[in-house]
């Protein structure tokens, strides 16, 4: 059998989860259009990621002899 504390912990977790559930419907999604923020600086983000990867891999020193 389970210890008493384990049973109480599982029971409390499931009961508190159902009590805090949201009953209202979710808000409507935001429209995706030309002004959507991810479209504005996508090239800058890609270039920054490539430069970071180059800096990370070039900065590693080889410790093998």
């Amino acid at each position: 059998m389970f210890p008493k504390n384990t049973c109480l912990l599982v029971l409390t977790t499931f009961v508190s989860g159902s009590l805090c559930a949201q009953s209202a419907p979710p808000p409507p999604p935001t429209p995706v259009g030309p002004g959507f923020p991810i479209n504005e600086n996508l090239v800058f983000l890609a270039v920054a990621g490539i430069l970071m990867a180059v800096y990370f891999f070039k900065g590693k020193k080889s410790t093998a002899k």
Side-chain angles (χ1 to χ4, degrees):
M1 296 220 38
F2 288 126
K4 185 174 24 171
N5 290 342
T6 306
C7 287
L8 288 175
L9 178 66
V10 171
L11 180 66
T12 304
T13 302
F14 285 118
V15 168
S16 65
S18 65
L19 291 177
C20 295
Q22 184 179 5
S23 61
T30 57
V32 177
F36 201 65
I38 195 143
N39 291 338
E40 295 174 1
N41 296 322
L42 193 58
V43 174
F44 174 72
L45 182 64
V47 170
I50 291 170
L51 288 175
M52 243 177 109
V54 168
Y55 175 76
F56 179 74
F57 288 116
K58 288 284 186 178
K60 292 253 181 186
K61 301 282 187 205
S62 176
T63 57
K65 292 184 179 181

